[in-house]
Amino acid sequence: MRGLRTRLVLAFTLVAAVTAASTGALTFREARTGVLQQSQDAVIQQLRAQVGRLAPDLLYPPGQDELRRFAANVARAEPSGTWRVLATYGRLSATSVPGDRFEELSPALRASVGSHLATVFQRVAVGDHTALVVGMSVTFAEVPSKGVYTSGIHVFLTVPQTTERAYVDALVTAVERAAVPALTLAVLLALLAARGVLRPVRALRRATRSIAEGRLDTRLAVEGSDELADLSHTFNETAAALEQSVAELRGMEARARRFAADVSHELRTPLAAMSAVTEVLDEDAAGLDPDTATAVRLISEETVKLARLVDDLMEISRFDAGAAVLHLDEIDLAESLRRTLDARGWTGPVDCELPAPGALRGRVDPRRLDVVVANLVGNALRHGARPVTLRLYDGGARGGVRLAVIEVLDSGPGIPDDVLPHVFERFYKSDAARTRTEGSGLGLAITAENVRVHGGTVEAANRPEAGAVFTVRLPLPADGSPREGR
């Protein structure tokens, strides 16, 4: 019922059904009325003519036998013998068929004939058939003094309407037969209308999907001048405006990336000189007065932070430019993680749950894996609480590819629920959850990018018992095909 084609077909069918039923009902009523009216008028006219022809020869006042002969003679007006006649005069009555009880005659019709000079009629149902009952009074001829007045003789006629019933039944059958082609035609018209409506709608759907997939040069062919053509024209205008806006945004983004890369590159040379100067100053700080020594150490620390920030910006710029290339090597993952901790002096503060040497090997980029582990462990040490645990285990196969799972757990306060969706965003910090640190705000963003270029995933969550847990899943394809960044 939700499809446009189905709704159009049902609507057309419903309209056709209602129209056919209404037209058939009106046609049937008018035709039935016409058939019955014609039959009724013919019977009344024939009855009047027959009574008018026989009445002058009737003895007045009539006796029983005279009424019987009169009724029989009136009934002979119909050669097929379908007429049944009842003649009455006062208490006397006689029928054209001996013993006929004339049950079709109602008291109302009898009273109406007795009180009116006009011919009256009534259709009555007897069993499974209908009959026409006509009543009239035999009148005296008009005289100057009295005019037309009744003789007291009443004639009643009943005629079965078998022929008329057959005509009506045939008409009903014809209407029913006509309804089937009408409904069939309505369905065909609905299908044609649905096809005409759905063709541009489907084209619009395909074009919309194409735009959603990034093909912003998609356009629709505009045909005609109806509402659908206006819709196609509006879509083309919208797509053109969107393409222009996206092109401008991409240009601005490219310029921003190039600016950040250029600034970071230009800062590296003076920072290198500044680092060399601060190293010399650090060595001589012991011989300086306390205030000067404090200033020298502060400058040295901030220079180190600035150098780290520039390095992170350069790394992010390479990711944004799609220049991050993996240099894969077959390594022992557990041994690589141990070297990361040893190089930074974290062997003591961090508990390790690593497999035996050689138990879990894979082709990864050793440098990028080192960055991932160092950022996650360093983040846990700075923002969490000890004990901090580093785990590595085989995550099984998914989609035919074996997974290596790295987990970093801390025992700190955890990450607020409103912060969790943003922990891997660039320069995101939560002062409510974390104290101000020396971090640049790019460490977790770089971690996520390094995991992504490996084809893996990284997630952050809170442990039920307290603390945060970061989980990295790295695919280890058997073919060892190189993977590149975007």
Side-chain angles (χ1 to χ4, degrees):
M1 290 295 292
R2 295 182 178 179
L4 183 58
R5 179 192 295 273
T6 303
R7 284 184 285 174
L8 282 174
V9 171
L10 289 179
F12 270 74
T13 304
L14 180 61
V15 170
V18 172
T19 303
S22 302
T23 304
L26 293 174
T27 303
F28 169 76
R29 188 182 68 177
E30 294 299 324
R32 178 177 179 272
T33 302
V35 169
L36 295 179
Q37 185 70 38
Q38 182 179 6
S39 173
Q40 164 194 310
D41 293 346
V43 168
I44 292 175
Q45 183 178 2
Q46 190 175 1
L47 176 63
R48 286 177 174 176
Q50 184 71 352
V51 171
R53 186 177 62 84
L54 296 175
D57 299 331
L58 181 64
L59 294 177
Y60 188 83
Q64 182 70 34
D65 293 336
E66 188 68 19
L67 284 176
R68 185 179 298 111
R69 284 192 298 271
F70 180 70
N73 290 333
V74 173
R76 291 191 186 97
E78 174 57 40
S80 61
T82 58
W83 281 21
R84 292 163 45 228
V85 179
L86 169 66
T88 65
Y89 178 75
R91 295 179 178 272
L92 299 179
S93 65
T95 60
S96 60
V97 178
D100 191 351
R101 300 179 62 181
F102 225 85
E103 296 177 349
E104 295 89 349
L105 181 60
S106 66
L109 182 63
R110 185 187 293 269
S112 180
V113 171
S115 60
H116 297 84
L117 295 179
T119 302
V120 297
F121 64 91
Q122 184 180 28
R123 295 188 188 94
V124 297
V126 180
D128 59 348
H129 67 279
T130 59
L132 174 66
V133 181
V134 182
M136 64 177 294
S137 297
V138 178
T139 59
F140 289 107
E142 181 178 358
V143 295
S145 60
K146 294 184 178 181
V148 177
Y149 60 95
T150 180
S151 64
I153 302 173
H154 300 155
V155 179
F156 300 96
L157 167 67
T158 178
V159 182
Q161 295 189 305
T162 306
T163 302
E164 291 77 3
R165 179 65 178 270
Y167 288 156
V168 172
D169 292 343
L171 181 61
V172 172
T173 303
V175 171
E176 291 176 349
R177 291 178 178 175
V180 175
L183 293 178
T184 303
L185 180 61
V187 172
L188 293 177
L189 291 176
L191 291 175
L192 290 176
R195 180 181 179 184
V197 172
L198 291 178
R199 185 170 58 250
V201 172
R202 288 171 178 166
L204 179 62
R205 181 179 62 184
R206 289 192 297 268
T208 304
R209 288 180 176 175
S210 180
I211 292 256
E213 292 171 357
R215 295 189 289 273
L216 301 181
D217 58 344
T218 303
R219 298 293 184 272
L220 289 173
V222 180
E223 299 177 357
S225 58
D226 55 6
E227 290 79 1
L228 291 175
D230 291 341
L231 178 61
S232 300
H233 183 69
T234 302
F235 175 85
N236 290 340
E237 291 180 345
T238 304
L242 178 62
E243 183 179 19
Q244 181 179 359
S245 299
V246 171
E248 293 176 356
L249 289 175
R250 287 175 177 172
M252 294 172 61
E253 184 181 8
R255 288 192 296 270
R257 290 173 180 173
R258 187 166 55 251
F259 175 77
D262 292 343
V263 169
S264 301
H265 180 74
E266 293 299 326
L267 286 176
R268 299 188 74 175
T269 300
L271 278 175
M274 292 174 62
S275 298
V277 172
T278 55
E279 289 179 2
V280 174
L281 292 176
D282 284 339
E283 293 177 356
D284 297 338
L288 301 175
D289 63 86
D291 292 338
T292 304
T294 300
V296 168
R297 293 190 184 94
L298 179 60
I299 292 174
S300 178
E301 291 174 0
E302 294 302 324
T303 302
V304 172
K305 291 179 183 179
L306 184 57
R308 186 181 298 114
L309 174 60
V310 170
D311 290 339
D312 290 344
L313 287 173
M314 290 293 294
E315 185 73 5
I316 286 292
S317 299
R318 282 191 287 270
F319 284 120
D320 290 341
V325 180
L326 289 175
H327 299 283
L328 300 177
D329 191 11
E330 181 78 21
I331 63 172
D332 183 344
L333 299 181
E335 182 61 28
S336 177
L337 267 59
R338 289 190 183 93
R339 285 199 298 268
T340 298
L341 298 180
D342 291 340
R344 292 163 177 82
W346 292 339
T347 305
V350 178
D351 298 331
C352 295
E353 298 180 8
L354 307 177
L360 186 58
R361 300 181 62 85
R363 288 182 60 83
V364 297
D365 187 325
R367 186 187 69 82
R368 296 189 183 278
L369 179 61
D370 176 78
V371 172
V372 169
V373 176
N375 283 341
L376 292 180
V377 174
N379 183 76
L381 291 173
R382 285 193 304 270
H383 304 300
R386 299 183 184 182
V388 174
T389 303
L390 174 63
R391 293 177 181 171
L392 172 66
Y393 57 90
D394 191 336
R398 180 179 299 177
V401 179
R402 189 164 55 100
L403 295 178
V405 180
I406 302 172
E407 289 183 347
V408 177
L409 307 90
D410 65 56
S411 302
I415 306 174
D417 293 337
D418 60 331
V419 176
L420 273 175
H422 309 287
V423 293
F424 295 106
E425 295 179 5
R426 300 174 185 181
F427 298 108
Y428 185 84
K429 294 182 181 181
S430 175
D431 293 337
R434 307 289 171 96
T435 58
R436 187 177 183 278
T437 67
E438 61 182 10
S440 65
L442 293 175
L444 291 180
I446 292 175
T447 297
E449 292 290 346
N450 278 312
V451 173
R452 185 192 60 79
V453 296
H454 277 88
T457 61
V458 58
E459 300 174 353
N462 288 314
R463 302 168 60 192
E465 59 271 22
V469 55
F470 287 81
T471 304
V472 176
R473 293 179 177 86
L474 294 177
L476 305 175
D479 58 4
S481 57
R483 292 158 291 186
E484 296 184 358
R486 57 185 177 183

